[in-house]
Amino acid sequence: MVNCEHIRYMEPSRGSRPPRDLTFKFFTDGKLEIIDNDTGTTINPRELSGGSYDFYVRQRIAFIKRDLNAKIAKYA
């Protein structure tokens, strides 16, 4: 069974660039979906920059750590 974590990120506005409203879906099988909530389109991680990219990296690392800890606890 594949579980999924949904995390929403609201990027602050910077200069002339409008803020982004993103939903990150991290799946236990390693799959990732990033959805732009304003347009409903899927975004590739390479399209992220600044605060949204930093958020993605931090959440990805935290998700991997939680997943590893859960597997260690289950099989230890």
Side-chain angles (χ1 to χ4, degrees), residues 8 11 16 20 28 35 38 56 69:
R8 188 172 180 182
E11 185 177 67
S16 63
R20 294 173 103 177
T28 54
I35 300 168
D38 293 329
Y56 158 69
N69 286 333

Side-chain angles (χ1 to χ4, degrees), residues 10-23:
M10 304 267 309
E11 185 177 67
S13 62
R14 295 187 183 248
S16 63
R17 196 172 104 193
R20 294 173 103 177
D21 180 7
L22 305 171
T23 297

Side-chain angles (χ1 to χ4, degrees), residues 2-72:
V2 177
N3 291 325
C4 175
E5 281 187 28
H6 297 254
I7 304 171
R8 188 172 180 182
Y9 176 72
M10 304 267 309
E11 185 177 67
S13 62
R14 295 187 183 248
S16 63
R17 196 172 104 193
R20 294 173 103 177
D21 180 7
L22 305 171
T23 297
F24 293 81
K25 294 182 181 181
F26 296 98
F27 296 87
T28 54
D29 65 354
K31 184 179 168 191
L32 167 71
E33 284 185 25
I34 305 170
I35 300 168
D36 184 333
N37 294 319
D38 293 329
T39 62
T41 59
T42 302
I43 297 174
N44 188 315
R46 293 180 185 177
E47 297 175 53
L48 299 174
S49 63
S52 57
Y53 182 75
D54 184 56
F55 178 82
Y56 158 69
V57 170
R58 291 176 188 269
Q59 291 301 317
R60 184 71 166 182
I61 291 169
F63 179 79
I64 291 168
K65 285 181 180 180
R66 286 190 302 274
D67 189 48
L68 284 173
N69 286 333
K71 288 177 181 174
I72 288 169

